Every structure is written in structure tokens, then in C-alpha cells.
């Protein structure tokens, strides 16, 4: 720490590795590292602000020896944007993707669709899985809004981006690949492929994929009919 290598300390406190578990203390070191320009810390802070677990008024002494994060709060869009902007300016693909997310669906007064798309595309070009997913979602939304202008090549490009995101374990990418296969977007309807993608996304906990896969199991669409597993999937989606 005396050498300025503060990034190691937040992990120790968050994980309880070599130090008493203390999310608040981990947050303090995380913020200090971010202030000193540590891009990974900036990205993580932006994400925590989006998840609503960071409050501008958090006091370390309130939970110095706590073992859990503070109760979820409302998303802090403004603070998340500050940290995402700094990470993006440093050239971080993850920061670019996070900032694009904020600009795309954050508070309406701060939205900038054109910049969001440019950031997503830049992050995707750098190989960022969230960037690939974000770019694919925006392209798919545009194709769905103007189906008369969407081509097979457009959908092939979307599928390629989604495949890269799915390989990194992003459940939403598999869910959208399943939707495209089920609807025949970019090619013929392929219910078997749709069921496979929904199954992967469902296994990763995405509730809309669980619901869709459960229905396909109940109806035997693209997969062997299995009402027991189908009901189980639907129940998991409902409980979520």
C-alpha cells in the first residue's frame, strides 16, 4: 500500500483473503485506487453503482467488520457515469461498454443513442464480450424496428457478435440467439437450435430463457417433450 499498489487490498477485504471481511473497507481502497487512475477499479465502481450497492455517503466505520454488502439501493446513474467515463477515456473496452449501457438506457435526460452505439462498436472491435452483446442488441433492435431493411447479412453479423458474447458466458447472448433461431431471423426457423440456446441461457439463470425453454419442453417444440422438466423450468422462472 505504501508503494501505491492499492488495487490488491480491495480484493482482500471483499473476499476476506488475508484480512477481516469488510466490504466497506474494500470499497474505500477501491475508490482510492480508482482515484489514482486504476482502470479496473474504475470499471468495478461503475458496475457497483449500477447495481445499487454503493452510496455516496457510505462510511467505512459503519460496517468496518461487516461480512455482507450494504442493502441494495437505487442505481446511482450519475456516479456510475463518472467512473465509466474515466475508464472509457483510458481506453478500457469494458469502460466503453459500461458507459454505452448508461447512455443507452440510463436516465432519459442523459441518453445519447449515437454515442452509445459508437462506444459499443468500439468495445466490440476490441473483443469485449459486453461490447459485443451491446452492439448486437442495438443492431437487432434496429433490424426489428425496420424489418423491410434488415438483410440476411445484417442478421449474420448480429449472430457473430452474439456468439462471441455467448462464448464468454453472457446468458442474454444465448437467449437472443435462441430467439433469432426460433423466429427464423437471418435464415430458416431452427427450433432445435433455439431450444439449445435457451437451455444454455436458462442454465445460467436467465429467467426469460427459463420460461421460454420450459414452454418448449412442455410442448415438445425443438426438443423431446418433457413435462416434468418443463414445469420445473417454468417454476424457476416464476419464482425469479
Amino acid at each position: 500500500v505504501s508503494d501505491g499498489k492499492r488495487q490488491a487490498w480491495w480484493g482482500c477485504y471483499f473476499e476476506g483473503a488475508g484480512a477481516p471481511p469488510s466490504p466497506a473497507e474494500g470499497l474505500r481502497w477501491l475508490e482510492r485506487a480508482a482515484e489514482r487512475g486504476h482502470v479496473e477499479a474504475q470499471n468495478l465502481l461503475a458496475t457497483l453503482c449500477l447495481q445499487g450497492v454503493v452510496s455516496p455517503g457510505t462510511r467505512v466505520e459503519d460496517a468496518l467488520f461487516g461480512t455482507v454488502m450494504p442493502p441494495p439501493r437505487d442505481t446511482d446513474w450519475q456516479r456510475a457515469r463518472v467512473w465509466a467515463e474515466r475508464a472509457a477515456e483510458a481506453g478500457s473496452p469494458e469502460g466503453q461498454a459500461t458507459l454505452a449501457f448508461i447512455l443507452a438506457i440510463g436516465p432519459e435526460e442523459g441518453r445519447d443513442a449515437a454515442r452509445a452505439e459508437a462506444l459499443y462498436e468500439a468495445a466490440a472491435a476490441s473483443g469485449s464480450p459486453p461490447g459485443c452483446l451491446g452492439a448486437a442488441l442495438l443492431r437487432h433492435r434496429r433490424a426489428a424496428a425496420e424489418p423491410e431493411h434488415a438483410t440476411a447479412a445484417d442478421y449474420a453479423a448480429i449472430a457473430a457478435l452474439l456468439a462471441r458474447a455467448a462464448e464468454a458466458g453472457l446468458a442474454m447472448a444465448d437467449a437472443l440467439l435462441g430467439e433469432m433461431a426460433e423466429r427464423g431471423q437471418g435464415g430458416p426457423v431452427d427450433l432445435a437450435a433455439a431450444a439449445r440456446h435457451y437451455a444454455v441461457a436458462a442454465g445460467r439463470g436467465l429467467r426469460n430463457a427459463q420460461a421460454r425453454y420450459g414452454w418448449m419442453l412442455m410442448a415438445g417444440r425443438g426438443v423431446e417433450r418433457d413435462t416434468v422438466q418443463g414445469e420445473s423450468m417454468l417454476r424457476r422462472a416464476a419464482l425469479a
Side-chain angles (χ1 to χ4, degrees), residues 91-209:
S92 165
E94 289 73 21
Q96 292 170 339
T98 302
L99 180 56
F101 175 82
I102 295 169
L103 294 174
I105 70 165
E108 191 167 352
E109 63 273 14
R111 291 183 187 178
D112 187 336
R115 189 181 177 206
E117 184 169 4
L119 285 165
Y120 269 139
E121 293 290 349
S126 298
S128 163
C132 290
L133 177 58
L137 287 169
L138 289 183
R139 291 189 190 191
H140 187 266
R141 184 183 303 170
R142 185 164 53 246
E146 301 176 349
E148 67 278 7
H149 296 137
T151 66
D154 291 331
Y155 282 114
I158 294 170
L161 287 169
L162 290 173
R164 291 166 63 186
E167 287 174 3
L170 299 185
M172 191 177 294
D174 268 300
L176 187 51
L177 284 169
E179 180 182 326
M180 289 174 63
E182 186 177 12
R183 295 183 177 182
Q185 294 176 330
V189 171
D190 189 339
L191 295 180
R196 288 195 301 272
H197 284 297
Y198 285 142
V200 172
R204 290 173 175 158
L206 193 65
R207 59 190 178 189
N208 63 326

Side-chain angles (χ1 to χ4, degrees), residues 22-41:
S22 176
E25 185 71 354
L27 177 61
R28 183 165 75 93
W29 287 109
L30 183 64
E31 288 181 319
R32 293 182 68 176
E35 289 287 359
R36 288 175 174 264
H38 193 269
V39 177
E40 182 185 349

Side-chain angles (χ1 to χ4, degrees), residues 1-10 29 32-33 36 38:
V1 174
S2 61
D3 293 331
K5 298 180 180 178
R6 293 174 169 78
Q7 62 270 27
W9 280 85
W10 77 68
W29 287 109
R32 293 182 68 176
R36 288 175 174 264
H38 193 269

Side-chain angles (χ1 to χ4, degrees), residues 73-87:
R73 301 175 174 86
D74 291 337
T75 295
D76 189 342
W77 291 102
Q78 182 177 2
R79 197 173 179 203
R81 179 167 179 169
V82 169
W83 290 118
E85 286 274 12
R86 292 183 61 172

